[in-house]
Amino acid sequence: MTLYVEGGGDRSELRTACRKGFKEFITNAGIKDHPRVVACGSRSDAFDSYCIAIANGKKALLLIDSEAPVADQHQQGADTNQWQPWAHLKNRQDDAWEQPAGASDTDCHLMIQCMENWFLADRTTLKNFFGQGFKENKLPAHRSIEQVAKNEVYSALAYATQGCKTKAPYGKSEHSFKLLAEVDPGRITAASPWAKRFVDALKKKMHS
């Protein structure tokens, strides 16, 4: 099984950090036999790589940012296997992707609305990671982490970390994948149904 993920940019060292971060997150989620992780850079490159893999008959999963809220009609019911990430990606104007032949909704997973949304669920790790000067009160409160817009997440992390004594203000290249390796998947899956959907699907597919 290969997991194609959005992230890592165009630099080899950043893609290495991306792969390591996701492997650690998956292992920490209790999945010891983890899939091969491919850091693809852009979301479109991740989609293209996934499409090539399944066209060649390979077992593959896709994990990308949703970039925007998922409409209610695409996430109806308690059974997340019935949710429709491909419909979200087709209806999103900047994507307009067709569901590839042979692809199922259970093979497509969304980080809502970006990977950094996950971090909002584990403020203990954020505080420990950034240390003295971290301002938790600058983070969004009293709503689902899935409802926080991408630009708001980035701004909040920047404001919360701008006064830290031992680390620079939050930077995606510098901090994101190191944080991913340290956050608690249990807290994230408890706060994000889409994250729980991803972890549950991995457990099922890797142990089947």
Side-chain angles (χ1 to χ4, degrees):
M1 179 71 70
T2 302
L3 174 65
Y4 295 94
V5 300
E6 174 182 355
D10 297 324
R11 291 161 39 204
S12 60
E13 64 270 23
L14 196 55
R15 292 197 179 193
T16 298
C18 178
R19 288 194 298 272
K20 181 179 179 181
F22 276 104
K23 286 178 181 177
E24 288 292 326
F25 178 85
I26 291 167
T27 300
N28 292 338
I31 305 169
K32 303 305 181 186
D33 184 19
H34 57 68
R36 173 175 172 253
V37 177
V38 178
C40 299
S42 72
R43 58 190 286 100
S44 58
D45 286 343
F47 174 66
D48 290 343
S49 297
Y50 168 80
C51 289
I52 292 169
I54 61 168
N56 290 329
K58 297 179 180 179
K59 293 182 178 180
L61 298 174
L62 177 66
L63 178 63
I64 58 176
D65 295 342
S66 69
E67 296 287 338
V70 176
D72 289 343
Q73 67 263 32
H74 299 146
Q75 50 181 350
Q76 289 185 338
D79 183 1
T80 60
N81 288 327
Q82 302 300 315
W83 290 6
Q84 301 174 313
W86 287 118
H88 168 77
L89 296 170
K90 179 177 173 57
N91 289 348
R92 184 174 175 271
Q93 186 174 3
D94 289 342
D95 296 323
W97 295 342
E98 295 290 343
Q99 181 172 342
S104 70
D105 275 315
T106 55
D107 293 336
C108 182
H109 297 275
L110 303 175
M111 294 180 282
I112 300 218
Q113 298 182 32
C114 60
M115 185 179 72
E116 281 78 1
N117 285 67
W118 288 3
F119 300 160
L120 300 179
D122 188 358
R123 300 182 182 209
T124 299
T125 294
L126 283 175
K127 286 187 285 189
N128 291 338
F129 183 88
F130 285 102
Q132 186 179 1
F134 179 78
K135 296 182 176 61
E136 183 180 355
N137 63 355
K138 298 296 185 181
L139 300 179
H142 309 303
R143 57 190 155 126
S144 165
I145 64 170
E146 295 189 346
Q147 298 303 315
V148 183
K150 187 172 184 175
N151 59 351
E152 185 182 353
V153 176
Y154 287 137
S155 295
L157 287 171
Y159 288 135
T161 56
Q162 64 183 0
C164 292
K165 305 300 183 184
T166 60
K167 284 188 172 67
Y170 180 80
K172 189 169 183 69
S173 297
E174 184 174 0
H175 300 127
S176 63
F177 301 121
K178 294 175 184 176
L179 269 169
L180 182 63
E182 295 189 20
V183 290
D184 181 355
R187 292 182 177 180
I188 293 166
T189 54
S192 168
W194 279 96
K196 185 177 187 302
R197 180 181 186 270
F198 166 63
V199 169
D200 287 349
L202 263 187
K203 288 179 178 178
K204 181 177 180 180
K205 290 178 183 295
M206 295 309 299
H207 297 153
S208 61

